[in-house]
Amino acid sequence: MLVLYFPHKLLLMKIYSNAADNFVKDLKAATVLVYGNDMGGVKTMEQRLIKRYLGQTYDPASVVEIDGDELKDNPGRLTDEVMSKSFFADKKVIRLRDAPDSAVELVQNAIAQLDDSVLLLLTSG
């Protein structure tokens, strides 16, 4: 499993699974990409990042799920979610799963709009 994060929108860092504990513990990223062949490991890392960002007893409504097919059908959804604020919590996580290669520009635009109240979590196998 490999974790990539984008702390300053232009900087890309690779964190391999052996350094994941320290990365999660000191989470400072606004955008994280988690991918690898081990989908169980990817899902586990997703949950660890969400719990670290939102807290151990987070409200599930604070996590917005978008999959790649949905993004194809509604390309503005990602930016809409990044720009909208949660009614129930100070922070939220937008989890984008299996985005197609064609979504690169949409993701770049979303990253440019992020503030401290949103974690963009991208996952892929």
Side-chain angles (χ1 to χ4, degrees), residues 90-108:
D90 295 335
K91 295 180 180 179
K92 74 176 177 179
V93 173
I94 300 170
R95 185 172 10 191
L96 177 58
R97 290 189 177 171
D98 298 321
D101 292 342
S102 61
V104 169
E105 188 174 332
L106 295 172
V107 171
Q108 288 174 332

Side-chain angles (χ1 to χ4, degrees), residues 1-4 17 20 24 32-50 95-98 121-125:
M1 174 186 41
L2 181 64
V3 177
L4 302 175
S17 56
V24 172
V32 179
L33 167 64
V34 181
Y35 72 96
N37 294 332
D38 177 8
M39 287 309 294
V42 169
K43 288 181 187 226
T44 299
M45 179 56 71
E46 278 182 315
Q47 288 304 311
R48 290 179 63 199
L49 289 165
I50 290 169
R95 185 172 10 191
L96 177 58
R97 290 189 177 171
D98 298 321
L121 180 57
L122 309 150
T123 60
S124 182

